[in-house]
Amino acid sequence: MKELALKYGCNPNQKPSRVFMEDGSDLPIEVLNGKPGYINLLDAFNGWQLVSELKAATGMPAATSFKHVSPAGAAIGLPLTEIEKKIYWVDDLGDLSPMASAYARARGADRMSSFGDFISLSDTCDEDTARLIKREVSDGIIAPDYTEKALEILKAKKNGNYAVIKIDPSYKPAALEKKQVFGITFEQGHNDIVIDDAMLQNIVTNNKDLPDAAKKDLLISLITLKYTQSNSVCYVKGGQAIGIGAGQQSRIHCTRLAGSKADNWFLRQAPQVLELPFLDNIRRADRDNAIDLYIGVDYMDVLADGKWQNLFKVKPAAFTDADKRAWLDRNTDVALGSDAFFPFGDNIERAAKSGVKYVAQPGGSVRDDNVIQAANDHDMVMAFTGMRFFHH
C-alpha cells in the first residue's frame, strides 16, 4: 500500500487528507481493521517509536497510551502488585502476560487522560492484552503483530470499527524529515539519538548512589519525554510513568502538572480510596471520574447531599488535606526527567513533594548551582545528560 486516504485531517474541514511515502515506496503499515484518522496515525507513529526504544533500552515489552500526540502513560511489562491490579481495574482478569501488564500500567497511571487513547505495543498483541483493551474506551492500536485470537477480539470492538494497525518492525525512517507549516517546508535530521545508561554518568550531586532500578526508571522518563510535546516533565516509578506534563510554556508549571498527576496516582492507592463503597452498577469510567473528584479540591461534587447517593452505598468521609499529605509522604524513590534544563530550584522543591529521589535533566542553566543545591538539600541524585529532548 503506497498511500492511505483519510476521512479528513486534524479537523473535519481539512480535506483532502492522506498519508503516503514521498519516495513512492510502500507504507510500512497494514490496516487490519477499521479506518484510522489523521490524529490516530500521529499518535500511532509517535507511540511506536516510544515503545520500540523502551524495549531496546530495557529488554522488556513496552506499551504506551497516547492522546493528542503526547503519551498519557508509558510502561514496561513488570508484574502488577495486588494494589495496582485494583486501581487499574484489572483485578478480575487473573495473571496477565508481560505485554498486557505493560498496557495495564500505561493505561492505568492516568486513566482520565487515557480515556479514548491510541495504543502502541512493542511486541505481539496477545489474547490477554486484547481482552484488557476490549473493555476500555480506545480508538485503536498499532503493534508489530497480533495473535489470531487477539485479532478476533479487537476486530469486534466498536461494532467492528476499531482501528488495528500492523507495522513492519524493520522499518527505518529516512535520515531527513520534513513537514509543512503555513505552506513553508521545514527540514531537520531525524532524532535518532540513543538514550542509554551513558547519559546518566555525569552525576552532579553529592549523593551519587544510582541503583539499577532507578537507572531504568530514568531511561523510561527520558524516552517518554522524547515523544512528548514540549515543554515536558515525566515522573516514573517502578517501570511506569506516573505523571506526564506536556506542552506547558513554563517549566515549573510542567513540573507541577506532572507532579499533580503523580500525586493522584499514589493517592488512588490510599485505603480511603481503595475502600470507597461504590454502588454495584457504577461503570469504570464513572468511578475514575468520581475518584478524581474525591481526591481533589472539588470533593464536595461527589460528597454533597444529593450527589453521593448517586455513587456510593454510604457517604464516605472526606479525604482531608492533612490525610492526603500524610499519605503522599510515603511515596519515595520516584524518578524525574525533564526535556530541557531546570532554570530554577523551585522545580526541585516541587518534585520533592512527590517523592522524587532521582533526577535526569540536560543541565546548562546559568543557575545550575542553585538547582544542584536544591537537589543536595533533599539528598537527591541528579545526572546532567547534556542532551535536550524538545518535541514538536
Side-chain angles (χ1 to χ4, degrees), residues 6 117 125 167 183 187 201 231 234 251 309 325-326 386:
L6 306 175
D117 64 349
C125 180
I167 187 165
E187 183 177 82
Q201 293 179 354
N231 286 329
C234 179
R251 180 90 18 204
Q309 293 93 335
R325 186 66 261 169

Side-chain angles (χ1 to χ4, degrees), residues 276-297:
L276 283 171
F278 282 105
L279 295 171
D280 294 335
N281 63 343
I282 302 299
R283 297 177 302 176
R284 286 190 304 277
D286 292 325
R287 293 188 186 204
D288 289 331
N289 292 338
I291 289 171
D292 188 69
L293 289 168
Y294 177 73
I295 63 180
V297 296

Side-chain angles (χ1 to χ4, degrees), residues 281-334:
N281 63 343
I282 302 299
R283 297 177 302 176
R284 286 190 304 277
D286 292 325
R287 293 188 186 204
D288 289 331
N289 292 338
I291 289 171
D292 188 69
L293 289 168
Y294 177 73
I295 63 180
V297 296
D298 297 321
Y299 59 91
M300 288 307 295
D301 286 358
V302 292
L303 294 186
D305 287 341
K307 298 283 188 179
W308 69 263
Q309 293 93 335
N310 298 321
L311 294 165
F312 306 112
K313 297 174 182 176
V314 295
K315 183 178 180 179
F319 199 179
T320 67
D321 288 344
D323 290 339
K324 286 187 281 189
R325 186 66 261 169
W327 179 258
L328 288 172
D329 286 342
R330 300 186 184 191
N331 196 13
T332 59
D333 297 328
V334 177

Side-chain angles (χ1 to χ4, degrees), residues 131-152:
R131 286 193 298 118
L132 196 165
I133 293 169
K134 178 183 178 181
R135 59 200 284 174
E136 301 290 4
V137 176
S138 171
D139 278 356
I141 180 174
I142 187 170
D145 208 351
Y146 301 82
T147 66
E148 184 176 340
K149 183 61 178 178
L151 192 57
E152 177 186 334

Side-chain angles (χ1 to χ4, degrees), residues 106-118:
R107 170 82 184 206
D110 183 1
R111 288 185 59 84
M112 296 287 287
S113 297
S114 290
F115 187 84
D117 64 349
F118 205 94

